Amino acid sequence: MTEKKALTIEFVTSLLRKKKLIGEAEEREILIRGEGQRARIKKSQESMYSAKRQTVAEFVSPAEVVASLGLPLVTDPKKTLTEDMITEVIAEEVGLPYRKIDPLKLNLDIVTSHIPRPFAQRYLVVPIEEKDRVVTLAVADPFNLEAVESLKATRKMKVDLVLSSKSDILKIVREFYGFRYSVGAAEKEFSHSTELGNLEQYVRLKGAVELDATDQHIVNAVEYLLHYAYDQRASDIHIEPKRDRSHVRLRIDGVLHYIHTIPKVVHPSILSRIKMLSRMDIAEKRKPQDGRIKTESRGREIELRVSTLPTAFGEKVVIRIFDPEVLFQDLSGLGFFPSELDVFNSFIKRTYGIVLVTGPTGSGKTTTLYSALKSLSSPEVNIVTIEDPIEMIVEEFNQVGVQPQIGVDFAGSLRTILRQDPDIIMVGEIRDKETADNAVQAALTGHLVFSTLHTNDAPSSVTRLMDLGVPGFLINSTVVGIIAQRLVRKICSNCRKTRVLKPEEVEYLRLKEKEYRVYYGEGCTECRGTGYKGRTGVFEIMDFSDKIKAIVAKTSDSTVIQKAARAEGMSVLRESAIRKMLQGVTTYEEVISVT
């Protein structure tokens, strides 16, 4: 980096050609279209940031220009050249470490305390780490470091530099500075008010919305939090009050990640804002409450289910994110093996009977049921669901929400629904004798009934139904099939590596051969170093054949039922997970932890 260079489109193009990531045709296309594309991006960014009255970055990165052309890689034409790939090539050339910024691993205080937001946004520089009084700065242009030099001089900072993509830096500036500013401003406002309790009480007596819940800073903070969760592919947001602070955590691919700390004084206001959006009673702080919010992200509707719970240090809130793209999938995309999909399709194509989906909370039962109902939905079919609460509002279904406080329960709703001329009924859960009896009656009178049970495997569902008081002969007359399921994390395709199972691992899984080659994720920028990206289902599907019915007529012992089902070809959950492992879909560790 001794000679003065500039990060130009020509410089980046020559680098990509040298690294054999593009060919002669792609090089020519970049050089012809590059400047026009750069001007378009600059104009678009200027109009966007001026509309928000924010400082716009003067620098348009050649990496973002080239990436926006969507050129295929010479080495793998199925993949396109991304901004991250190009930035990594530049970093290697100029001798700076490349860093893909993972928002989940950043400290909010470090990011926002060293540099003001306008400076970070204009010069595309953001602090991402601090160790032994040395601050690591991520920059987008390795040849234009005057801003960094002035920062070192004015702030008396020791710095290390890494190169990151412009998109990553702007995302951090937007999410972290925006959230930090909103929460900080709100904290300052509320810390001056010594009679916060009185204010809350006063508003409660008036029966109106709490004043602080409509404060612009709080509104912004909640917006930033929701967008951040969407960007990170989170399924749940947890806001947990502690003694002095409140913690914000996101669940991604089934695992919770800590992301933010909120000052305690701001927690009630953020909670009130979320309650307002989900139409809960803001004044009620002693009882658990449920609500829902309908919003959108990237042009598609997203449903949020909100639950509050009074804890030792205040009210905790959990926001579950229901993305239609996840909840409604083609049945072939749920993770069934072809033979399993054929059996499942034979269940749901019946004209009457009960199909049960079992598994613990968070095992994907709702996705399987909604996807099945969606595949059966047509103008000729009347589908009615009874849910507690309604997970996702779907126009094609007639959905009923259970409300025990006014006497609307599963059993009562099911009795009423039978007078509504249904073809297919979905009961959220069979949890008592009355609901079980009504589900059986519905199936006996010619309806196809879908429902869930909280059991560990398919055969023990029969035992559970008998425990609820359903006789064996009625189970045999109505139950078509039972599916038990779990979700396993999928190996990240970007960093997938192979290894051989150790002898003790082979022995633990009771495999027949001595040597097996399996896969694992090494950890990369795509999967945030976890080695996993996304989840898929593993299934145990029990068909109610004549042989199974003969056994159910004699006994409710799940072990005997399982033995008979396996003799007829049923794979248990562990076996299905092992098949997924040997196919390179998931890892040994996931097989052990999930089954």
Side-chain angles (χ1 to χ4, degrees):
M1 282 173 56
T2 48
E3 63 176 289
K4 182 70 176 170
K5 290 183 182 177
L7 195 60
T8 61
I9 292 171
E10 292 75 18
F11 172 76
V12 169
T13 308
S14 66
L15 270 185
L16 295 172
R17 188 73 204 277
K18 191 168 86 175
K19 295 282 180 185
K20 296 182 179 169
L21 291 172
I22 58 169
E24 192 179 329
E26 288 79 17
E27 181 181 26
R28 198 163 47 246
E29 187 176 349
I30 294 169
L31 294 175
I32 291 168
R33 293 176 58 198
E35 278 307 317
Q37 189 74 351
R38 194 187 78 83
R40 275 191 289 277
I41 290 171
K42 188 169 178 63
K43 192 176 179 183
S44 159
Q45 289 177 355
E46 280 173 351
S47 63
M48 182 176 75
Y49 281 100
S50 61
K52 294 178 180 177
R53 296 181 183 177
Q54 289 179 359
T55 313
V56 64
E58 295 165 350
F59 173 65
V60 176
S61 161
E64 70 176 320
V65 173
V66 175
S68 70
L69 297 173
L71 301 172
L73 283 175
V74 169
T75 49
D76 186 355
K78 289 180 182 174
K79 291 183 179 177
T80 53
L81 204 53
T82 65
E83 192 180 347
D84 287 328
M85 285 179 199
I86 301 164
T87 308
E88 199 165 354
V89 168
I90 297 166
E92 195 180 323
E93 177 70 15
V94 301
L96 276 180
Y98 164 74
R99 185 75 64 89
K100 171 72 180 169
I101 304 176
D102 181 357
L104 297 178
K105 290 179 180 167
L106 296 187
N107 183 312
L108 188 69
D109 292 324
I110 289 170
V111 173
T112 55
S113 60
H114 293 288
I115 299 176
R117 177 181 181 152
F119 187 97
Q121 200 152 293
R122 179 181 289 277
Y123 297 108
L124 299 170
V125 52
V126 70
I128 57 171
E129 210 173 87
E130 186 175 8
K131 201 173 183 182
D132 302 326
R133 297 190 178 179
V134 177
V135 179
T136 302
L137 297 178
V139 296
D141 185 351
F143 300 131
N144 184 14
L145 300 177
E146 285 87 346
V148 174
E149 292 304 321
S150 71
L151 202 62
K152 283 160 72 175
T154 54
R155 294 280 174 128
K156 305 286 188 290
M157 283 164 57
K158 288 181 182 176
V159 302
D160 277 343
L161 295 182
V162 297
L163 195 66
S164 295
S165 69
K166 178 182 171 183
S167 299
D168 273 6
I169 291 172
L170 283 178
K171 185 188 270 188
I172 296 304
V173 170
R174 185 176 67 247
E175 300 293 352
F176 277 65
Y177 282 88
F179 184 79
R180 173 71 184 205
Y181 171 77
S182 301
V183 170
E187 181 185 20
K188 213 175 281 180
E189 228 167 78
F190 300 143
S191 61
H192 293 316
S193 169
T194 53
E195 295 188 34
L196 188 63
N198 291 347
L199 174 66
E200 287 182 334
Q201 191 178 2
Y202 169 74
V203 175
R204 197 148 52 237
L205 289 170
K206 285 279 187 184
V209 164
E210 283 191 55
L211 300 175
D212 42 297
T214 58
D215 179 86
Q216 193 58 44
H217 302 309
I218 293 299
V219 172
N220 289 342
V222 172
E223 291 261 329
Y224 281 120
L225 196 55
L226 292 177
H227 283 297
Y228 186 60
Y230 303 153
D231 287 345
Q232 300 303 317
R233 298 183 296 107
S235 61
D236 300 86
I237 306 168
H238 291 240
I239 305 173
E240 305 168 325
K242 304 297 178 189
R243 182 172 276 108
D244 304 316
R245 321 281 285 168
S246 287
H247 293 166
V248 180
R249 297 194 288 172
L250 297 183
R251 189 179 292 281
I252 302 164
D253 290 338
V255 179
L256 276 170
H257 298 264
Y258 167 78
I259 57 154
H260 285 314
T261 300
I262 298 174
K264 194 63 187 274
V265 71
V266 178
H267 178 88
S269 318
I270 284 183
L271 205 77
S272 295
R273 176 63 187 165
I274 293 167
K275 282 182 174 180
M276 261 179 69
L277 292 171
S278 51
R279 298 178 183 180
M280 291 183 192
D281 181 356
I282 291 174
E284 182 54 75
K285 299 180 189 307
R286 298 160 302 166
K287 290 181 188 172
Q289 292 188 70
D290 289 305
R292 61 192 325 118
I293 305 168
K294 196 151 192 140
T295 178
E296 70 164 12
S297 172
R298 294 176 187 153
R300 67 176 191 268
E301 281 191 350
I302 287 183
E303 195 125 349
L304 309 175
R305 211 174 74 204
V306 185
S307 168
T308 65
L309 180 73
T311 66
F313 299 115
E315 280 183 286
K316 175 185 171 175
V317 64
V318 174
I319 302 170
R320 174 155 278 192
I321 301 167
F322 288 102
D323 186 339
E325 284 188 9
V326 176
L327 208 54
F328 300 110
Q329 295 185 35
D330 189 85
L331 292 177
S332 59
L334 294 176
F336 289 109
F337 292 114
S339 59
E340 292 177 336
L341 185 57
D342 290 343
V343 177
F344 184 63
N345 273 321
S346 75
F347 292 169
I348 67 175
K349 296 278 170 65
R350 301 283 183 98
T351 52
Y352 65 90
I354 297 174
V355 178
L356 293 172
V357 181
T358 80
T361 303
S363 59
K365 299 189 298 293
T366 303
T367 300
T368 301
L369 285 174
Y370 268 57
S371 299
L373 292 176
K374 191 81 173 171
S375 73
L376 297 171
S377 175
S378 73
E380 297 84 38
V381 177
N382 178 19
I383 297 175
V384 186
T385 74
I386 312 165
E387 302 170 64
D388 181 21
I390 295 170
E391 303 276 10
M392 176 103 193
I393 292 168
V394 189
E395 208 172 318
E396 294 98 314
F397 308 162
N398 298 292
Q399 294 167 286
V400 178
V402 170
Q403 298 178 67
Q405 66 273 18
I406 58 167
V408 180
D409 56 9
F410 279 120
S413 299
L414 193 46
R415 278 196 304 273
T416 307
I417 279 168
L418 290 174
R419 297 193 286 274
Q420 287 279 316
D421 185 31
D423 296 294
I424 298 167
I425 301 166
M426 197 266 270
V427 182
E429 188 188 341
I430 294 176
R431 52 173 80 146
D432 55 42
K433 185 181 188 305
E434 199 179 353
T435 308
D437 288 342
N438 285 324
V440 166
Q441 285 306 313
L444 287 171
T445 52
H447 303 92
L448 183 60
V449 180
F450 290 92
S451 191
T452 68
L453 276 176
H454 283 292
T455 58
N456 289 326
D457 58 16
S460 58
S461 301
V462 176
T463 313
R464 176 88 178 114
L465 286 175
M466 287 187 177
D467 288 344
L468 288 172
V470 182
F473 73 90
L474 282 179
I475 294 173
N476 282 340
S477 305
T478 54
V479 175
V480 171
I482 303 173
I483 301 103
Q485 71 176 82
R486 299 288 187 279
L487 290 175
V488 292
R489 289 186 289 172
K490 293 196 289 188
I491 298 168
C492 172
S493 58
N494 197 52
C495 62
R496 199 171 77 149
K497 294 281 184 286
T498 182
R499 73 175 180 92
V500 175
L501 276 183
K502 297 171 189 169
E504 60 269 25
E505 293 173 338
V506 173
E507 190 182 339
Y508 186 75
L509 293 177
R510 297 177 185 173
L511 299 173
K512 291 173 186 173
E513 307 294 329
K514 285 188 177 177
E515 192 173 289
Y516 289 89
R517 191 158 291 280
V518 295
Y519 295 86
Y520 69 98
E522 198 172 41
C524 66
T525 54
E526 289 281 313
C527 60
R528 303 186 190 87
T530 61
Y532 299 100
K533 192 172 182 186
R535 290 190 291 175
T536 188
V538 290
F539 302 90
E540 175 179 299
I541 302 182
M542 189 170 90
D543 189 357
F544 254 65
S545 63
D546 291 337
K547 191 175 177 184
I548 299 293
K549 287 177 182 178
I551 289 166
V552 170
K554 294 174 191 169
T555 179
S556 64
D557 189 335
S558 61
T559 313
V560 177
I561 298 167
Q562 186 188 68
K563 196 174 176 183
R566 290 188 72 177
E568 295 217 313
M570 181 187 84
S571 293
V572 297
L573 285 164
R574 169 64 63 89
E575 290 164 350
S576 294
I578 289 170
R579 274 181 75 186
K580 285 257 160 76
M581 175 190 77
L582 296 176
Q583 286 182 354
V585 175
T586 192
T587 62
Y588 169 82
E589 290 73 20
E590 276 293 282
V591 171
I592 298 303
S593 68
V594 173
T595 59

